[in-house]
Amino acid sequence: MKHIAKIMAFLMAVTAVWISLLQTKMIPQSHTWLLPLYFIVSLGCYGLLMVGVGLMQFPTCPQEAVLLQQDVIEAKQFLKHNGVDVGTD
């Protein structure tokens, strides 16, 4: 619940800054109306960047891969024993 409170506080702060920029006219009005769109696009780019970095740093676990292959072989044998066609490999 604390995380939601932080997100809501951040969104309220961003909204307050946006409204103050609309009222003070420090930035041209045509640019100020697009700030929420810029924020959403920036957030999406950040999310894609974090997914890409996570994929590049994804650890390989050879021991776990061997265990997974053993589980697959065991499952195929169990299914064949119970009369299920699992294909040939």
Side-chain angles (χ1 to χ4, degrees):
M1 194 64 181
K2 292 179 183 179
H3 195 65
I4 295 233
K6 289 179 186 177
I7 291 172
M8 292 304 292
F10 176 72
L11 288 177
M12 289 176 63
V14 168
T15 303
V17 169
W18 182 57
I19 290 172
S20 67
L21 285 174
L22 281 173
Q23 291 178 349
T24 59
K25 298 186 186 205
M26 289 173 45
I27 299 174
Q29 188 112 7
S30 61
H31 296 289
T32 309
W33 281 107
L34 293 175
L35 284 177
L37 181 63
Y38 295 152
F39 179 71
I40 291 171
V41 169
S42 299
L43 192 62
C45 291
Y46 174 76
L48 286 174
L49 176 70
M50 289 296 106
V51 168
V53 168
L55 286 174
M56 287 189 296
Q57 295 178 348
F58 191 76
T60 56
C61 304
Q63 302 89 1
E64 295 298 322
V66 170
L67 290 174
L68 181 61
Q69 287 298 326
Q70 290 173 350
D71 287 345
V72 168
I73 291 169
E74 182 182 328
K76 282 184 178 182
Q77 290 172 350
F78 175 77
L79 290 172
K80 282 181 185 177
H81 183 267
N82 288 332
V84 177
D85 181 25
V86 291
T88 59
D89 193 3

